[in-house]
Amino acid sequence: MIDTQKTFKTKVLGVTLAIMAIAMVVSTGTRVLAQTAETAPVTITADDPAAPYDNAVAAENAVKSNGEGLDRVIKGTENWGDEHNISVLRFIQNIGKSTGIYQIATQKRVAPSESGFKPEIKEAPEKDWGTAPGWQSLIMIAIGFLIVYLAVGKGFEPLLLIPIGFGTILVNIVGAGMGELPDGMLAIIYHAGVGNEFFPMLIFMGIGAMTDFGPLIANPKTAILGGAAQFGVFFTLFGVAVMNMFGLNYNIMQACAIGIIGGADGPTSIYVSGKLAPELMGVIAVAAYSYMALVPMIQPPIMKLLTSKKERLIRMPNPRAVPKMEKVLFPLMLLLLTILLLPPAAPLIGMLAFGNFVKESGAATRLSKTMENELMNIVSIVLSLGVGSQMTPEKIIKAESVGIIVLGLVAFAVATAAGLLMAKLMNVFLPKNKKINPLIGSAGVSAVPMAARVANKVGQAEDPMNFLLMNAMGPNVAGVIGTAMAAGVFIATYGGLR
């Protein structure tokens, strides 16, 4: 017999410990991620004549800013003001002020400047990564060949990994100069569309033209699974805080850009890093696209660990057939809600809605086919080559870069686990004949349609006649929307500070 009282106490203890852990991180988050020179403790020494202490013992007991732990100022944030510090109240206020409703009611539109460009930001848009010995280029070339092998030999998303692998190989050929401006082909590609929002926007347009939102419309509750998977994005902020406590230097805006990797969405990662942390864009893009491609390796062990065989055998009926009118109205309603509630996410959601509306309306078949085929293929090639061009030793073989790659893996794993656990939680409240197979919760990340295919494959490994693909597409496309919304929240909160 199951000891229900003991089980209940165990769950209460687990929830209590989780709340305490989150409270501890939040309480130290301001000092770890966004402490400025104004809020940092002042360094006091025993021989300082201005020190209000009578002896050296009292001075030694004083709080010191010695560049370590919680008492140090993050490198590069010495001149930041109080507006950069973490504050729950300010966070809520910024979200409220960033809504389209508030801005329409209170703000006046300002005409673009004569130059057509935004004022130059104070901080350098590019980080000085230093130099690396030539022999390390051989290591990166070997990594490039490994990426190509994984794509061709193991079948891990060859459309992404083959150009990324070749971009890595070509940019690291010593003396070729393919990654150097003004003439290097890979450098031109990166600065033309990867280092800004151009290519990501085109990719989102293509994704919209390729995506069928029918499964999500037919079963709206699967949107909860896509939302749950975004926990990995926000959980990463805690991971960044922990790494800072051990001596790395990530500020709050860089933490937000790193966190988006948890959504397994390469275009969104590039977009957010361009807005908040352009100096880390290359490494973040490489990490995001790498984990997108490695979904078939990363997710299955987590799925089997967190689900029982009985749960994996749950069969779900195929979603209902969605009328064309619902499919046509969905992107328009999605765009309208974004305009009113979260305009910073409108560039991503807008292009997604544009591509999807052209497809579903059927009024411009040539355009929709171009978006999802020729244009998508061309942009995918140049974008992936541009991402591979950032795989150079002075950027990758660094503690900060390794930290980003590790944090990205943690974020992606947590996002997968959160989707699975949310599905299990939903089953507690659903009728017996309407249970959800928890495997589709793992598809809540933005890797469309890779994550949905993986959920279907793991399900069929237990029962070859169990087809989960269409049900998994619901949380999968919801994850795309959810990650774009998370990106909008970060940009709304900190985007105006650069």
Side-chain angles (χ1 to χ4, degrees), residues 219 315-320 433-435 466-467 470-471:
N219 195 0
R315 290 194 178 190
M316 300 177 63
N318 285 329
R320 67 177 175 87
N433 61 339
K434 293 187 178 181
K435 298 292 186 184
N466 192 6
F467 299 98
M470 292 308 297
N471 288 289

Side-chain angles (χ1 to χ4, degrees), residues 76-97:
T77 67
E78 297 87 354
N79 297 323
W80 281 14
D82 180 65
E83 67 276 6
H84 291 82
N85 288 338
I86 298 173
S87 167
V88 176
L89 179 60
R90 187 183 296 120
F91 175 82
I92 296 174
Q93 290 174 340
N94 287 346
I95 294 298
K97 291 179 180 179

Side-chain angles (χ1 to χ4, degrees), residues 318-395:
N318 285 329
R320 67 177 175 87
V322 178
K324 180 178 179 179
M325 183 59 67
E326 292 184 36
K327 290 187 176 183
V328 172
L329 291 177
F330 181 82
L332 298 180
M333 295 301 297
L334 178 63
L335 180 58
L336 180 61
L337 288 174
T338 305
I339 292 172
L340 294 177
L341 300 179
L342 197 60
L348 296 170
I349 297 296
M351 295 304 290
L352 183 74
F354 169 52
N356 189 252
F357 179 79
V358 172
K359 172 194 174 184
E360 298 297 351
S361 67
T365 305
R366 287 175 55 188
L367 295 184
S368 65
K369 288 188 177 298
T370 299
M371 290 178 189
E372 64 179 307
N373 293 306
E374 291 84 1
L375 182 61
M376 187 70 166
N377 291 336
I378 292 171
V379 177
S380 294
I381 291 171
V382 292
L383 178 63
S384 299
L385 281 172
V387 169
S389 73
Q390 300 304 297
M391 295 277 284
T392 54
E394 71 275 6
K395 293 182 178 179

